[in-house]
């Protein structure tokens, strides 16, 4: 039972009618359910109750301060991939000892900022990065906690753009080379070698690739022990999928059971980096129908939200459920839902049977809480959407809709024009 449900013919977010939010805040708008965020966090956290663990929410999925604050209040940390994300997390009150830093391209100033903030560890993704972090930590007179992100060469069987653990991927250090790099890291004066990390991809709908990965990494951990390298943390990354349409991913409890069984005897503190699983189904995006147009061969529902607001359909061909905010439409149509952007790739739904939307109707795009607003842009000089959080019968704007003045902030006409 989730928290975006109809009462009669009206779609609600918890106890708030979605149409009331749209009337007050305008469209397009992202709406997040606090109760759903909390439920998803507790499900993941509870799945590992039997073993020492920390949930380091992968904040690139949705980095709104209100979302972060919700998870921090429940005891979570974060997985960051940039200095900008660290800044957001610090502003939202993260415990730096629960921050892990992933990403293939960490810059000097970002490494420095993370060291000064006292994060738990860097998930190191290349051999050169080890030297870089050692150098910067030395300059600051501190020690950097590190894990090597091991690329296990396991196929997560998901979309190629979000597959990260195959040999051909840019991520991590190949498993065959990892032992040698661990030995090198252990010899560096300013590194504290405390962990091992992996992240094989996103939107996984099976447990087996996770289990295969753990088994491969366990062999490496055994090799490390033989070499006198004793770790504290085993970071299993994120990637557990959600239901957008008819996918049936394992529940956090099943995932927890399988991982716990595989890792229990290691005696390591587990870290998890779930993103999508915590936030995906905790958010919707709502747009308004501007025009309903019958083309020669197709029907188009033209809305005030576009690929700049929700990029996933254009980027990955992803499916988002489409629902009427008020179910008073007569009949259904087969149509594309498209935005105002001047690109044929600007669609939110394709060849979909849907209510016969008319001008002025509000349309909810479901499962938009992950990689939704976070991936939005200003393409076509479109101000980015507002974000709202609902808790029970209350709602507040947690990010104002951008204004046209925001679009040109920082721009200058040069003196020679
Ligand atoms: C994106 C990412 C995650 C989160 O992936 P989800 O599929 O959203 O759970 C976790 N760890 C790393 C390193 C990532 O890049």
């Amino acid at each position: 039972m989730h928290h975006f449900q109809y009462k009669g013919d009206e779609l609600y977010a918890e106890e708030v009618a979605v149409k009331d939010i749209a009337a007050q805040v305008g469209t397009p708008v992202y709406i997040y359910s606090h109760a759903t965020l909390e439920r998803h966090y507790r499900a993941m956290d509870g799945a590992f109750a039997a073993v020492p663990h920390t949930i380091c929410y992968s904040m690139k999925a949705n980095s709104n301060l209100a979302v972060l604050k919700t998870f921090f209040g429940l005891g979570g940390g974060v997985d960051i991939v940039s200095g900008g994300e660290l800044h957001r997390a610090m502003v939202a009150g993260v415990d730096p000892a629960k921050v892990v830093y992933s990403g293939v391209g960490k810059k000097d100033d970002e490494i420095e900022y993370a060291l000064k903030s006292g994060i738990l560890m860097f998930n190191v993704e290349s051999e050169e990065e080890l030297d870089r972090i050692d150098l910067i930590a030395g300059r600051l007179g501190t020690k950097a906690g590190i894990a090597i992100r091991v690329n296990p060469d396991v196929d997560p069987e998901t979309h190629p753009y979000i597959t990260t653990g195959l040999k051909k991927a840019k991520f991590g250090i190949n498993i065959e080379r990892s032992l040698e790099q661990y030995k090198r890291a252990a010899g560096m004066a300013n590194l504290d070698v405390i962990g091992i990390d992996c992240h094989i991809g996103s939107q996984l709908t099976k447990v087996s690739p996770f289990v295969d990965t753990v088994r491969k990494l366990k062999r490496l951990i055994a090799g490390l022990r033989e070499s006198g390298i004793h770790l504290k943390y085993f970071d299993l990354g994120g990637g557990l999928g959600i239901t957008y349409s008819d996918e049936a991913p394992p529940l956090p409890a099943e995932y927890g059971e399988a991982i716990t069984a595989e890792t229990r005897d290691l005696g390591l503190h587990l870290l998890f980096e779930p993103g999508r699983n915590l936030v995906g189904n905790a958010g919707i995006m709502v747009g308004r129908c501007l025009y309903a147009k019958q083309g020669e061969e197709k029907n188009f529902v033209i809305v005030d939200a576009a690929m700049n607001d929700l990029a996933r359909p254009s980027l990955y061909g992803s499916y988002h459920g489409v629902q009427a905010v008020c179910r008073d439409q007569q009949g259904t149509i087969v149509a594309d839902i498209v935005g105002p952007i001047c690109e044929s790739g600007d669609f939110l739904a394709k060849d979909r049977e849907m209510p016969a939307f008319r001008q002025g109707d509000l349309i909810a795009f479901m499962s938009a809480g992950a990689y939704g607003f976070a991936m939005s842009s200003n393409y076509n000089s479109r101000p980015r959407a507002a974000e709202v959080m609902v808790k029970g019968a209350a709602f507040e704007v947690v990010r104002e809709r951008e204004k046209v003045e925001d679009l040109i902030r920082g721009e200058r006409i040069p003196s020679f024009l």
Side-chain angles (χ1 to χ4, degrees), residues 58-339:
S58 180
M59 63 179 281
K60 75 175 193 283
N62 184 328
S63 56
N64 187 282
L65 297 178
V67 172
L68 298 179
K69 180 83 186 164
T70 300
F71 294 142
F72 300 162
L74 295 166
V78 274
D79 167 44
I80 60 168
V81 292
S82 71
E85 285 195 348
L86 179 55
H87 176 65
R88 281 180 173 278
M90 296 297 279
V91 168
V94 76
D95 174 357
K98 293 180 182 173
V99 177
V100 297
Y101 187 174
S102 306
V104 295
K106 304 178 186 80
K107 293 174 74 173
D108 287 8
D109 61 330
E110 294 178 309
I111 293 169
E112 200 170 311
Y113 177 32
L115 285 168
K116 286 181 175 163
S117 304
I119 69 162
L120 177 67
M121 67 183 193
F122 294 85
N123 290 334
V124 177
E125 307 220 16
S126 65
E127 307 180 5
E128 290 191 356
E129 188 189 329
L130 279 175
D131 298 291
R132 205 74 211 162
I133 295 174
D134 181 53
L135 182 83
I136 296 169
R139 205 158 65 203
L140 295 180
T142 185
K143 273 197 149 189
I146 66 117
I148 287 181
R149 174 167 176 181
V150 176
N151 182 333
D153 198 26
V154 167
D155 189 354
E157 299 171 43
T158 181
H159 193 287
Y161 288 9
I162 50 178
T163 292
T164 56
L166 280 174
K167 247 186 197 163
K168 61 185 179 192
K170 69 174 176 178
F171 300 98
I173 294 179
N174 283 346
I175 191 154
E176 297 87 23
R177 299 183 61 86
S178 293
L179 180 58
E180 171 198 330
Q181 291 306 313
Y182 264 107
K183 287 183 187 164
R184 211 165 67 81
M188 292 184 185
N190 311 299
L191 299 186
D192 224 348
V193 180
I194 57 173
I196 187 164
D197 170 53
C198 57
H199 173 71
I200 56 173
S202 198
Q203 184 56 13
L204 272 72
T205 52
K206 291 185 201 163
V207 168
S208 53
F210 291 112
V211 171
D212 292 348
T213 300
V214 171
R215 290 189 179 150
K216 285 193 166 187
L217 264 58
K218 275 168 79 171
R219 288 200 282 278
L220 175 58
I221 292 169
L224 290 171
R225 284 186 177 159
E226 280 168 27
S227 310
I229 298 171
H230 297 277
L231 307 176
K232 280 191 223 138
Y233 298 98
F234 190 172
D235 184 338
L236 288 116
L240 187 62
I242 63 169
T243 302
Y244 285 97
S245 164
D246 50 10
E247 307 90 333
L251 292 172
E254 296 166 51
Y255 168 68
E257 216 168 292
I259 300 290
T260 304
E262 282 294 329
T263 55
R264 188 172 239 150
D265 54 331
L266 291 171
L268 296 175
H269 184 113
L270 302 183
L271 301 173
F272 296 94
E273 304 170 350
R276 188 189 312 274
N277 193 268
L278 299 191
V279 295
N281 277 318
I284 62 173
M285 183 186 71
V286 177
R288 198 179 282 280
C289 173
L290 300 174
Y291 304 99
K293 162 164 148 175
Q294 271 98 52
E296 190 88 338
E297 298 188 358
K298 273 187 145 194
N299 296 315
F300 294 99
V301 174
I302 301 164
V303 294
D304 62 0
M307 65 187 281
N308 73 298
D309 299 298
L310 180 61
R312 297 187 68 257
S314 308
L315 189 57
Y316 314 115
S318 307
Y319 175 98
H320 287 273
V322 166
Q323 295 189 10
V325 170
C326 305
R327 285 195 295 203
D328 54 4
Q329 282 82 7
Q330 290 162 8
T332 61
I333 50 169
V334 173
D336 287 7
I337 302 186
V338 301

